[in-house]
Amino acid sequence: MKLKGKKIGILFEADYYENEIFYYKYRFPEEGAEIHFLSRLWGQDKITFTGHEYKVPMDCWESFENMSDEELRTYDAIIVPSGMVSDRLRYTEDVEKIPPATEFLKRVFAEPGILKGIICHGLWLVAPATELVRGRKLVCHNNLIHDAKAYGAIYTNEDVVVDGDLITGRSGGHAHLFAKKIIETLSSAE
């Protein structure tokens, strides 16, 4: 129970990569962590999102919208998963404003006590706030290497990269290595 007493938030939306999300859903609690899937609920009590490959439905009933700073600080880690989740989350009704999910991510990055995890195409959520990764080492999906460089990040050709409180993973297929590094990091932090 390496993560007993730890709380992990995982951003969530439609077109999620089932193999990755289900791995987190069971692996983190197996180590004792409390996990929360967070999304925009658009004023609803819950939304059922379907996965990308197998169209598996999964309910989400927690939102990052209107989360207080006090509640945010109860999280030990926030993860931006792979696939289309971040693309869907970076939708904004007002094109003159940063998407609410990116605003939330900015708040997460402002908290040094929260471990930030971004894997694969999760890096898309950073596009409206590139200052979050500028000058930082990271890895992302091969299709986003030049995006990462355009953001000012230091692309590092490894499956999992740690840069202080930021852990990044190459692809959803590397979720087990990414999760392992998150578990190791959280279990050694006190």
Side-chain angles (χ1 to χ4, degrees):
M1 301 292 274
K2 294 178 183 175
L3 299 183
K4 187 170 175 57
K6 302 290 185 186
K7 184 176 177 182
I8 300 173
I10 302 164
L11 299 187
F12 196 57
E13 240 291 355
D15 274 338
Y16 65 92
Y17 178 44
E18 291 100 327
N19 292 342
E20 175 197 15
I21 293 299
F22 293 151
Y23 186 79
Y24 300 155
K25 184 177 180 177
Y26 296 105
R27 183 65 185 104
F28 292 132
E30 182 178 56
E31 291 293 348
E34 174 186 328
I35 62 168
H36 297 261
F37 289 95
L38 307 168
S39 191
R40 293 186 74 186
L41 295 180
W42 304 92
Q44 300 176 67
D45 292 332
K46 75 171 184 169
I47 296 178
T48 302
F49 295 118
T50 55
H52 185 77
E53 283 76 24
Y54 310 109
K55 309 298 181 209
V56 176
M58 187 169 147
D59 291 340
C60 182
W61 54 87
E62 293 184 76
S63 177
F64 56 77
E65 296 175 292
N66 304 316
M67 183 183 290
S68 70
D69 289 339
E70 293 74 27
E71 183 180 354
L72 176 59
R73 289 185 195 111
T74 67
Y75 284 87
D76 296 285
I78 298 288
I79 296 172
V80 183
S82 72
M84 296 300 294
V85 169
S86 63
D87 189 48
R88 291 184 174 276
L89 284 175
R90 67 183 178 165
Y91 174 79
T92 181
E93 298 85 352
D94 184 342
V95 296
E96 299 299 321
K97 293 183 179 178
I98 290 178
T102 303
E103 285 290 355
F104 176 72
L105 197 58
K106 286 175 65 172
R107 291 177 55 215
V108 171
F109 269 77
E111 296 291 340
I114 299 175
L115 185 66
K116 296 89 176 145
I118 303 176
I119 187 169
C120 189
H121 283 77
L123 191 62
W124 274 337
L125 196 57
V126 175
T130 58
E131 69 276 8
L132 299 178
V133 295
R134 188 173 301 122
R136 299 193 73 174
K137 292 180 185 176
L138 59 76
V139 66
C140 55
H141 193 280
N142 290 357
N143 289 355
L144 296 179
I145 292 169
H146 297 289
D147 298 69
K149 290 177 180 180
Y151 298 170
I154 302 165
Y155 176 78
T156 306
N157 190 14
E158 298 173 17
D159 292 335
V160 177
V161 173
V162 179
D163 183 342
D165 61 354
L166 175 63
I167 297 177
T168 53
R170 187 181 304 275
S171 74
H174 296 89
H176 62 297
L177 300 173
F178 178 69
K180 180 180 180 183
K181 185 54 73 176
I182 289 170
I183 291 166
E184 287 172 2
T185 304
L186 287 178
S187 65
S188 65
E190 287 307 319

PDB file of all heavy atoms in Angstrom, residues 30-58:
ATOM      1  N   GLU A  30      -4.963  -0.139  -5.971  1.00  0.00           N
ATOM      2  CA  GLU A  30      -4.257  -1.324  -5.509  1.00  0.00           C
ATOM      3  C   GLU A  30      -3.121  -0.942  -4.560  1.00  0.00           C
ATOM      4  O   GLU A  30      -2.786  -1.700  -3.641  1.00  0.00           O
ATOM      5  CB  GLU A  30      -3.697  -2.072  -6.723  1.00  0.00           C
ATOM      6  CG  GLU A  30      -2.976  -3.358  -6.410  1.00  0.00           C
ATOM      7  CD  GLU A  30      -2.500  -4.050  -7.675  1.00  0.00           C
ATOM      8  OE1 GLU A  30      -1.763  -3.408  -8.462  1.00  0.00           O
ATOM      9  OE2 GLU A  30      -2.877  -5.209  -7.886  1.00  0.00           O
ATOM     10  N   GLU A  31      -2.567   0.255  -4.749  1.00  0.00           N
ATOM     11  CA  GLU A  31      -1.511   0.764  -3.866  1.00  0.00           C
ATOM     12  C   GLU A  31      -2.070   1.637  -2.752  1.00  0.00           C
ATOM     13  O   GLU A  31      -1.316   2.251  -2.008  1.00  0.00           O
ATOM     14  CB  GLU A  31      -0.470   1.547  -4.672  1.00  0.00           C
ATOM     15  CG  GLU A  31       0.360   0.701  -5.597  1.00  0.00           C
ATOM     16  CD  GLU A  31       1.293  -0.275  -4.891  1.00  0.00           C
ATOM     17  OE1 GLU A  31       1.486  -0.165  -3.659  1.00  0.00           O
ATOM     18  OE2 GLU A  31       1.826  -1.168  -5.574  1.00  0.00           O
ATOM     19  N   GLY A  32      -3.410   1.721  -2.659  1.00  0.00           N
ATOM     20  CA  GLY A  32      -4.030   2.449  -1.562  1.00  0.00           C
ATOM     21  C   GLY A  32      -4.476   3.859  -1.884  1.00  0.00           C
ATOM     22  O   GLY A  32      -5.014   4.553  -1.016  1.00  0.00           O
ATOM     23  N   ALA A  33      -4.271   4.313  -3.112  1.00  0.00           N
ATOM     24  CA  ALA A  33      -4.643   5.683  -3.481  1.00  0.00           C
ATOM     25  C   ALA A  33      -6.152   5.814  -3.681  1.00  0.00           C
ATOM     26  O   ALA A  33      -6.824   4.885  -4.110  1.00  0.00           O
ATOM     27  CB  ALA A  33      -3.923   6.113  -4.751  1.00  0.00           C
ATOM     28  N   GLU A  34      -6.625   6.995  -3.376  1.00  0.00           N
ATOM     29  CA  GLU A  34      -8.006   7.380  -3.662  1.00  0.00           C
ATOM     30  C   GLU A  34      -7.962   8.093  -5.011  1.00  0.00           C
ATOM     31  O   GLU A  34      -7.176   9.021  -5.194  1.00  0.00           O
ATOM     32  CB  GLU A  34      -8.469   8.334  -2.565  1.00  0.00           C
ATOM     33  CG  GLU A  34      -9.806   8.962  -2.746  1.00  0.00           C
ATOM     34  CD  GLU A  34     -10.093  10.003  -1.653  1.00  0.00           C
ATOM     35  OE1 GLU A  34      -9.626   9.836  -0.511  1.00  0.00           O
ATOM     36  OE2 GLU A  34     -10.778  10.980  -1.981  1.00  0.00           O
ATOM     37  N   ILE A  35      -8.752   7.638  -5.983  1.00  0.00           N
ATOM     38  CA  ILE A  35      -8.720   8.285  -7.294  1.00  0.00           C
ATOM     39  C   ILE A  35     -10.050   8.955  -7.609  1.00  0.00           C
ATOM     40  O   ILE A  35     -11.113   8.519  -7.170  1.00  0.00           O
ATOM     41  CB  ILE A  35      -8.311   7.324  -8.430  1.00  0.00           C
ATOM     42  CG1 ILE A  35      -9.311   6.177  -8.590  1.00  0.00           C
ATOM     43  CG2 ILE A  35      -6.899   6.810  -8.239  1.00  0.00           C
ATOM     44  CD1 ILE A  35      -9.093   5.387  -9.869  1.00  0.00           C
ATOM     45  N   HIS A  36      -9.935  10.040  -8.377  1.00  0.00           N
ATOM     46  CA  HIS A  36     -11.094  10.829  -8.783  1.00  0.00           C
ATOM     47  C   HIS A  36     -10.952  11.149 -10.265  1.00  0.00           C
ATOM     48  O   HIS A  36      -9.911  11.669 -10.688  1.00  0.00           O
ATOM     49  CB  HIS A  36     -11.166  12.133  -7.989  1.00  0.00           C
ATOM     50  CG  HIS A  36     -11.351  11.922  -6.528  1.00  0.00           C
ATOM     51  ND1 HIS A  36     -12.573  12.014  -5.917  1.00  0.00           N
ATOM     52  CD2 HIS A  36     -10.462  11.583  -5.556  1.00  0.00           C
ATOM     53  CE1 HIS A  36     -12.425  11.764  -4.623  1.00  0.00           C
ATOM     54  NE2 HIS A  36     -11.153  11.490  -4.382  1.00  0.00           N
ATOM     55  N   PHE A  37     -11.983  10.837 -11.037  1.00  0.00           N
ATOM     56  CA  PHE A  37     -12.016  11.211 -12.442  1.00  0.00           C
ATOM     57  C   PHE A  37     -12.729  12.554 -12.527  1.00  0.00           C
ATOM     58  O   PHE A  37     -13.862  12.698 -12.056  1.00  0.00           O
ATOM     59  CB  PHE A  37     -12.718  10.140 -13.271  1.00  0.00           C
ATOM     60  CG  PHE A  37     -11.895   8.886 -13.389  1.00  0.00           C
ATOM     61  CD1 PHE A  37     -12.089   7.823 -12.514  1.00  0.00           C
ATOM     62  CD2 PHE A  37     -10.900   8.780 -14.347  1.00  0.00           C
ATOM     63  CE1 PHE A  37     -11.310   6.681 -12.591  1.00  0.00           C
ATOM     64  CE2 PHE A  37     -10.112   7.642 -14.436  1.00  0.00           C
ATOM     65  CZ  PHE A  37     -10.322   6.591 -13.562  1.00  0.00           C
ATOM     66  N   LEU A  38     -12.053  13.539 -13.108  1.00  0.00           N
ATOM     67  CA  LEU A  38     -12.531  14.923 -13.116  1.00  0.00           C
ATOM     68  C   LEU A  38     -12.762  15.405 -14.533  1.00  0.00           C
ATOM     69  O   LEU A  38     -11.930  15.189 -15.416  1.00  0.00           O
ATOM     70  CB  LEU A  38     -11.482  15.834 -12.459  1.00  0.00           C
ATOM     71  CG  LEU A  38     -11.005  15.435 -11.063  1.00  0.00           C
ATOM     72  CD1 LEU A  38      -9.772  16.250 -10.669  1.00  0.00           C
ATOM     73  CD2 LEU A  38     -12.127  15.613 -10.059  1.00  0.00           C
ATOM     74  N   SER A  39     -13.896  16.075 -14.756  1.00  0.00           N
ATOM     75  CA  SER A  39     -14.214  16.581 -16.087  1.00  0.00           C
ATOM     76  C   SER A  39     -15.056  17.840 -15.970  1.00  0.00           C
ATOM     77  O   SER A  39     -15.276  18.351 -14.867  1.00  0.00           O
ATOM     78  CB  SER A  39     -14.983  15.518 -16.883  1.00  0.00           C
ATOM     79  OG  SER A  39     -15.070  15.900 -18.246  1.00  0.00           O
ATOM     80  N   ARG A  40     -15.531  18.325 -17.086  1.00  0.00           N
ATOM     81  CA  ARG A  40     -16.553  19.377 -17.107  1.00  0.00           C
ATOM     82  C   ARG A  40     -17.891  18.651 -17.170  1.00  0.00           C
ATOM     83  O   ARG A  40     -18.101  17.824 -18.051  1.00  0.00           O
ATOM     84  CB  ARG A  40     -16.408  20.271 -18.334  1.00  0.00           C
ATOM     85  CG  ARG A  40     -15.140  21.100 -18.321  1.00  0.00           C
ATOM     86  CD  ARG A  40     -15.105  22.069 -19.473  1.00  0.00           C
ATOM     87  NE  ARG A  40     -16.036  23.169 -19.217  1.00  0.00           N
ATOM     88  CZ  ARG A  40     -16.317  24.116 -20.111  1.00  0.00           C
ATOM     89  NH1 ARG A  40     -15.777  24.090 -21.310  1.00  0.00           N
ATOM     90  NH2 ARG A  40     -17.168  25.081 -19.812  1.00  0.00           N
ATOM     91  N   LEU A  41     -18.776  18.975 -16.278  1.00  0.00           N
ATOM     92  CA  LEU A  41     -20.072  18.288 -16.250  1.00  0.00           C
ATOM     93  C   LEU A  41     -21.188  19.101 -16.899  1.00  0.00           C
ATOM     94  O   LEU A  41     -22.307  18.615 -17.005  1.00  0.00           O
ATOM     95  CB  LEU A  41     -20.445  17.920 -14.813  1.00  0.00           C
ATOM     96  CG  LEU A  41     -19.527  16.898 -14.151  1.00  0.00           C
ATOM     97  CD1 LEU A  41     -20.001  16.596 -12.722  1.00  0.00           C
ATOM     98  CD2 LEU A  41     -19.442  15.615 -14.952  1.00  0.00           C
ATOM     99  N   TRP A  42     -20.886  20.317 -17.322  1.00  0.00           N
ATOM    100  CA  TRP A  42     -21.864  21.124 -18.051  1.00  0.00           C
ATOM    101  C   TRP A  42     -23.187  21.229 -17.305  1.00  0.00           C
ATOM    102  O   TRP A  42     -24.262  21.140 -17.899  1.00  0.00           O
ATOM    103  CB  TRP A  42     -22.072  20.565 -19.453  1.00  0.00           C
ATOM    104  CG  TRP A  42     -20.804  20.468 -20.243  1.00  0.00           C
ATOM    105  CD1 TRP A  42     -19.977  19.387 -20.331  1.00  0.00           C
ATOM    106  CD2 TRP A  42     -20.201  21.494 -21.015  1.00  0.00           C
ATOM    107  NE1 TRP A  42     -18.898  19.679 -21.113  1.00  0.00           N
ATOM    108  CE2 TRP A  42     -19.002  20.969 -21.565  1.00  0.00           C
ATOM    109  CE3 TRP A  42     -20.560  22.809 -21.310  1.00  0.00           C
ATOM    110  CZ2 TRP A  42     -18.165  21.714 -22.374  1.00  0.00           C
ATOM    111  CZ3 TRP A  42     -19.723  23.538 -22.135  1.00  0.00           C
ATOM    112  CH2 TRP A  42     -18.551  22.990 -22.658  1.00  0.00           C
ATOM    113  N   GLY A  43     -23.131  21.347 -15.981  1.00  0.00           N
ATOM    114  CA  GLY A  43     -24.326  21.512 -15.166  1.00  0.00           C
ATOM    115  C   GLY A  43     -25.087  20.234 -14.886  1.00  0.00           C
ATOM    116  O   GLY A  43     -26.161  20.269 -14.290  1.00  0.00           O
ATOM    117  N   GLN A  44     -24.564  19.113 -15.284  1.00  0.00           N
ATOM    118  CA  GLN A  44     -25.230  17.831 -15.045  1.00  0.00           C
ATOM    119  C   GLN A  44     -24.641  17.144 -13.807  1.00  0.00           C
ATOM    120  O   GLN A  44     -23.528  17.440 -13.393  1.00  0.00           O
ATOM    121  CB  GLN A  44     -25.053  16.933 -16.270  1.00  0.00           C
ATOM    122  CG  GLN A  44     -25.646  17.541 -17.545  1.00  0.00           C
ATOM    123  CD  GLN A  44     -25.365  16.689 -18.747  1.00  0.00           C
ATOM    124  OE1 GLN A  44     -25.865  15.577 -18.855  1.00  0.00           O
ATOM    125  NE2 GLN A  44     -24.539  17.192 -19.655  1.00  0.00           N
ATOM    126  N   ASP A  45     -25.377  16.217 -13.245  1.00  0.00           N
ATOM    127  CA  ASP A  45     -24.893  15.457 -12.089  1.00  0.00           C
ATOM    128  C   ASP A  45     -23.819  14.458 -12.484  1.00  0.00           C
ATOM    129  O   ASP A  45     -22.934  14.145 -11.695  1.00  0.00           O
ATOM    130  CB  ASP A  45     -26.044  14.708 -11.394  1.00  0.00           C
ATOM    131  CG  ASP A  45     -27.020  15.662 -10.733  1.00  0.00           C
ATOM    132  OD1 ASP A  45     -26.612  16.776 -10.342  1.00  0.00           O
ATOM    133  OD2 ASP A  45     -28.209  15.287 -10.610  1.00  0.00           O
ATOM    134  N   LYS A  46     -23.940  13.932 -13.685  1.00  0.00           N
ATOM    135  CA  LYS A  46     -22.934  13.004 -14.199  1.00  0.00           C
ATOM    136  C   LYS A  46     -23.051  12.958 -15.716  1.00  0.00           C
ATOM    137  O   LYS A  46     -24.082  13.312 -16.288  1.00  0.00           O
ATOM    138  CB  LYS A  46     -23.091  11.601 -13.611  1.00  0.00           C
ATOM    139  CG  LYS A  46     -24.245  10.812 -14.195  1.00  0.00           C
ATOM    140  CD  LYS A  46     -24.226   9.367 -13.753  1.00  0.00           C
ATOM    141  CE  LYS A  46     -25.353   8.642 -14.478  1.00  0.00           C
ATOM    142  NZ  LYS A  46     -25.306   7.220 -14.360  1.00  0.00           N
ATOM    143  N   ILE A  47     -21.951  12.511 -16.335  1.00  0.00           N
ATOM    144  CA  ILE A  47     -21.939  12.295 -17.785  1.00  0.00           C
ATOM    145  C   ILE A  47     -21.337  10.916 -18.019  1.00  0.00           C
ATOM    146  O   ILE A  47     -20.374  10.531 -17.362  1.00  0.00           O
ATOM    147  CB  ILE A  47     -21.104  13.360 -18.527  1.00  0.00           C
ATOM    148  CG1 ILE A  47     -21.718  14.755 -18.353  1.00  0.00           C
ATOM    149  CG2 ILE A  47     -20.995  13.016 -20.013  1.00  0.00           C
ATOM    150  CD1 ILE A  47     -20.928  15.867 -19.022  1.00  0.00           C
ATOM    151  N   THR A  48     -21.923  10.179 -18.948  1.00  0.00           N
ATOM    152  CA  THR A  48     -21.361   8.898 -19.347  1.00  0.00           C
ATOM    153  C   THR A  48     -20.532   9.130 -20.596  1.00  0.00           C
ATOM    154  O   THR A  48     -21.050   9.541 -21.636  1.00  0.00           O
ATOM    155  CB  THR A  48     -22.472   7.865 -19.627  1.00  0.00           C
ATOM    156  OG1 THR A  48     -23.273   7.719 -18.451  1.00  0.00           O
ATOM    157  CG2 THR A  48     -21.871   6.519 -20.014  1.00  0.00           C
ATOM    158  N   PHE A  49     -19.227   8.912 -20.472  1.00  0.00           N
ATOM    159  CA  PHE A  49     -18.312   9.051 -21.596  1.00  0.00           C
ATOM    160  C   PHE A  49     -18.023   7.670 -22.163  1.00  0.00           C
ATOM    161  O   PHE A  49     -18.008   6.683 -21.440  1.00  0.00           O
ATOM    162  CB  PHE A  49     -16.994   9.694 -21.147  1.00  0.00           C
ATOM    163  CG  PHE A  49     -17.138  11.108 -20.677  1.00  0.00           C
ATOM    164  CD1 PHE A  49     -16.831  11.456 -19.370  1.00  0.00           C
ATOM    165  CD2 PHE A  49     -17.557  12.114 -21.535  1.00  0.00           C
ATOM    166  CE1 PHE A  49     -16.944  12.765 -18.929  1.00  0.00           C
ATOM    167  CE2 PHE A  49     -17.682  13.433 -21.113  1.00  0.00           C
ATOM    168  CZ  PHE A  49     -17.373  13.753 -19.803  1.00  0.00           C
ATOM    169  N   THR A  50     -17.790   7.606 -23.470  1.00  0.00           N
ATOM    170  CA  THR A  50     -17.426   6.324 -24.084  1.00  0.00           C
ATOM    171  C   THR A  50     -15.964   6.372 -24.525  1.00  0.00           C
ATOM    172  O   THR A  50     -15.445   7.421 -24.904  1.00  0.00           O
ATOM    173  CB  THR A  50     -18.321   5.991 -25.295  1.00  0.00           C
ATOM    174  OG1 THR A  50     -18.266   7.071 -26.213  1.00  0.00           O
ATOM    175  CG2 THR A  50     -19.760   5.762 -24.862  1.00  0.00           C
ATOM    176  N   GLY A  51     -15.356   5.212 -24.467  1.00  0.00           N
ATOM    177  CA  GLY A  51     -13.954   5.088 -24.841  1.00  0.00           C
ATOM    178  C   GLY A  51     -13.754   5.144 -26.340  1.00  0.00           C
ATOM    179  O   GLY A  51     -14.717   5.103 -27.123  1.00  0.00           O
ATOM    180  N   HIS A  52     -12.508   5.196 -26.747  1.00  0.00           N
ATOM    181  CA  HIS A  52     -12.165   5.363 -28.158  1.00  0.00           C
ATOM    182  C   HIS A  52     -12.184   4.046 -28.932  1.00  0.00           C
ATOM    183  O   HIS A  52     -12.858   3.927 -29.943  1.00  0.00           O
ATOM    184  CB  HIS A  52     -10.784   6.016 -28.281  1.00  0.00           C
ATOM    185  CG  HIS A  52     -10.403   6.341 -29.681  1.00  0.00           C
ATOM    186  ND1 HIS A  52     -10.910   7.429 -30.357  1.00  0.00           N
ATOM    187  CD2 HIS A  52      -9.572   5.711 -30.551  1.00  0.00           C
ATOM    188  CE1 HIS A  52     -10.408   7.462 -31.572  1.00  0.00           C
ATOM    189  NE2 HIS A  52      -9.587   6.431 -31.721  1.00  0.00           N
ATOM    190  N   GLU A  53     -11.440   3.047 -28.454  1.00  0.00           N
ATOM    191  CA  GLU A  53     -11.301   1.805 -29.208  1.00  0.00           C
ATOM    192  C   GLU A  53     -12.525   0.908 -29.108  1.00  0.00           C
ATOM    193  O   GLU A  53     -13.004   0.375 -30.105  1.00  0.00           O
ATOM    194  CB  GLU A  53     -10.076   1.013 -28.725  1.00  0.00           C
ATOM    195  CG  GLU A  53      -8.757   1.565 -29.229  1.00  0.00           C
ATOM    196  CD  GLU A  53      -8.330   2.833 -28.495  1.00  0.00           C
ATOM    197  OE1 GLU A  53      -8.763   3.055 -27.346  1.00  0.00           O
ATOM    198  OE2 GLU A  53      -7.568   3.597 -29.071  1.00  0.00           O
ATOM    199  N   TYR A  54     -13.021   0.702 -27.895  1.00  0.00           N
ATOM    200  CA  TYR A  54     -14.074  -0.293 -27.672  1.00  0.00           C
ATOM    201  C   TYR A  54     -15.429   0.318 -27.336  1.00  0.00           C
ATOM    202  O   TYR A  54     -16.386  -0.401 -27.104  1.00  0.00           O
ATOM    203  CB  TYR A  54     -13.646  -1.256 -26.562  1.00  0.00           C
ATOM    204  CG  TYR A  54     -12.262  -1.813 -26.791  1.00  0.00           C
ATOM    205  CD1 TYR A  54     -11.195  -1.422 -25.989  1.00  0.00           C
ATOM    206  CD2 TYR A  54     -11.998  -2.702 -27.835  1.00  0.00           C
ATOM    207  CE1 TYR A  54      -9.912  -1.911 -26.208  1.00  0.00           C
ATOM    208  CE2 TYR A  54     -10.728  -3.192 -28.067  1.00  0.00           C
ATOM    209  CZ  TYR A  54      -9.686  -2.789 -27.246  1.00  0.00           C
ATOM    210  OH  TYR A  54      -8.421  -3.268 -27.473  1.00  0.00           O
ATOM    211  N   LYS A  55     -15.472   1.644 -27.263  1.00  0.00           N
ATOM    212  CA  LYS A  55     -16.717   2.373 -26.952  1.00  0.00           C
ATOM    213  C   LYS A  55     -17.288   1.975 -25.586  1.00  0.00           C
ATOM    214  O   LYS A  55     -18.495   1.979 -25.378  1.00  0.00           O
ATOM    215  CB  LYS A  55     -17.773   2.185 -28.048  1.00  0.00           C
ATOM    216  CG  LYS A  55     -17.279   2.477 -29.447  1.00  0.00           C
ATOM    217  CD  LYS A  55     -16.840   3.903 -29.610  1.00  0.00           C
ATOM    218  CE  LYS A  55     -16.373   4.170 -31.040  1.00  0.00           C
ATOM    219  NZ  LYS A  55     -15.376   5.189 -31.134  1.00  0.00           N
ATOM    220  N   VAL A  56     -16.408   1.649 -24.650  1.00  0.00           N
ATOM    221  CA  VAL A  56     -16.837   1.264 -23.297  1.00  0.00           C
ATOM    222  C   VAL A  56     -17.357   2.504 -22.574  1.00  0.00           C
ATOM    223  O   VAL A  56     -16.665   3.522 -22.510  1.00  0.00           O
ATOM    224  CB  VAL A  56     -15.664   0.643 -22.501  1.00  0.00           C
ATOM    225  CG1 VAL A  56     -16.077   0.345 -21.076  1.00  0.00           C
ATOM    226  CG2 VAL A  56     -15.162  -0.614 -23.198  1.00  0.00           C
ATOM    227  N   PRO A  57     -18.573   2.434 -22.010  1.00  0.00           N
ATOM    228  CA  PRO A  57     -19.098   3.579 -21.268  1.00  0.00           C
ATOM    229  C   PRO A  57     -18.522   3.638 -19.854  1.00  0.00           C
ATOM    230  O   PRO A  57     -18.276   2.611 -19.220  1.00  0.00           O
ATOM    231  CB  PRO A  57     -20.606   3.309 -21.225  1.00  0.00           C
ATOM    232  CG  PRO A  57     -20.725   1.822 -21.322  1.00  0.00           C
ATOM    233  CD  PRO A  57     -19.554   1.353 -22.137  1.00  0.00           C
ATOM    234  N   MET A  58     -18.283   4.853 -19.374  1.00  0.00           N
ATOM    235  CA  MET A  58     -17.820   5.056 -18.006  1.00  0.00           C
ATOM    236  C   MET A  58     -18.391   6.372 -17.498  1.00  0.00           C
ATOM    237  O   MET A  58     -18.307   7.391 -18.182  1.00  0.00           O
ATOM    238  CB  MET A  58     -16.294   5.068 -17.951  1.00  0.00           C
ATOM    239  CG  MET A  58     -15.745   5.113 -16.539  1.00  0.00           C
ATOM    240  SD  MET A  58     -13.961   4.798 -16.554  1.00  0.00           S
ATOM    241  CE  MET A  58     -13.465   5.829 -15.191  1.00  0.00           C
TER     242      MET A  58
END
